[in-house]
Amino acid sequence: MRRSFRLDADACTHVGRRRQRNEDAFLLTDRLVAVADGLGGHAGGEIASAVAVASLRASGAAADPESLRGAFVEAHLAVQRRAAEEPELAEMCTTLCALALDPAGSAVLANVGDSRIYRYSDSRLTQVTWDHIWENEYVRMGMSPAAARRMQGAGSLSRVIGAFPEPCEADVWTFDAADGDRYLLASDGLTGELPDLDIAASLAAGESPATAAARLVEDANARGGNDNITVVVADLVEPARRRPG
């Protein structure tokens, strides 16, 4: 019998306690969710994240690695086209992470930037994505972590949507869907404040996606709220099969 999974997802976003403008954006649909964290002077970050999310929604991206990669390229081009309209937006860019669900039984994840995706499965939290910052890129090239940290601009983003002339490569992962798996997509306003142990505890509490997302945002604000905070909590659900008769 063909399996049929669905996403039970909700989101929460907050400007935080230190910023004047929320430059994050999120996407919630039946089969596609995403978080974007914009960067850029003036209103650039806010515009970049909104444009990227709107492009992703319009792309109709399927739960297929090449489809999602293509949608990220389109988001990059959409941000560039919007930036070309106003000189003050020339450097605007955004992170983008997304999850697409194939109801038949797979979840495809993609990421550019340092917004993160976590998977909570079998009572274990796993950070799926890795932050696209130069420190991590240098380590992947073979440099020691200590030396990488000392490099100028080590904490700067190495991959973004927009800004660079050519689209950055999106990292993509595919997981078999399992009933009860919970995914977290979050901007660094959350992960910069809360350690993984606290994130895991919130996801394990058994609360609805809406309640879990709101609680995570509240906890991040309580720890300082130094940046915009955006969270999507998405549960994979396999509806109970009807019994024949």
Side-chain angles (χ1 to χ4, degrees):
M1 182 179 293
R2 183 179 175 86
R3 306 175 80 183
S4 180
F5 287 88
R6 64 178 176 83
L7 275 181
D8 181 9
D10 216 319
C12 185
T13 188
H14 195 277
V15 69
R17 300 174 62 187
R18 301 288 186 267
R19 301 296 180 93
Q20 299 300 313
R21 177 186 292 116
N22 192 343
E23 295 183 315
D24 290 354
F26 65 85
L27 173 65
L28 283 179
T29 74
D30 291 343
R31 297 185 183 180
L32 181 64
V33 296
V35 165
D37 179 358
L39 302 93
H42 307 287
E46 183 178 3
I47 294 171
S49 61
V51 169
V53 164
S55 175
L56 187 61
R57 179 191 290 273
S59 72
D64 170 80
E66 291 311 309
S67 177
L68 209 48
R69 283 192 180 98
F72 271 51
V73 170
E74 287 303 316
H76 175 90
L77 297 175
V79 171
Q80 286 194 328
R81 286 193 295 269
R82 180 65 181 85
E85 297 175 3
E86 299 177 51
E88 63 268 27
L89 301 180
E91 299 300 318
M92 75 175 184
C93 56
T94 184
T95 70
L96 185 62
C97 63
L99 180 156
L101 175 67
D102 177 355
S106 63
V108 181
L109 285 55
N111 178 60
V112 166
D114 65 351
S115 293
R116 293 181 183 174
I117 304 178
Y118 290 84
R119 182 176 183 240
Y120 187 78
S121 179
D122 294 327
S123 301
R124 180 181 178 184
L125 182 71
T126 302
Q127 181 182 330
V128 178
T129 59
W130 64 283
D131 297 346
H132 291 149
I133 59 174
W134 282 111
E135 177 183 340
N136 290 339
E137 301 279 8
Y138 293 141
V139 170
R140 283 203 162 191
M141 295 174 192
M143 191 177 292
S144 72
R149 282 193 295 272
R150 292 194 297 268
M151 295 293 289
Q152 184 175 0
S156 300
L157 287 170
S158 56
R159 304 187 206 179
V160 291
I161 298 292
F164 297 137
E166 297 297 325
C168 293
E169 180 181 359
D171 290 333
V172 178
W173 302 259
T174 300
F175 292 96
D176 290 335
D179 188 48
D181 278 2
R182 170 165 277 193
Y183 287 87
L184 169 68
L185 290 73
S187 64
D188 66 348
L190 177 82
T191 57
E193 304 290 358
L194 295 184
D196 286 1
L197 282 176
D198 290 356
I199 292 173
S202 292
L203 296 178
E207 298 172 322
S208 69
T211 301
R215 186 179 301 279
L216 285 164
V217 169
E218 181 181 354
D219 289 348
N221 270 323
R223 296 288 181 90
N226 290 292
D227 200 353
N228 307 147
I229 310 158
T230 300
V231 169
V232 170
V233 176
D235 292 340
L236 271 55
V237 180
E238 185 178 13
R241 296 188 180 97
R242 293 183 179 179
R243 295 181 179 179

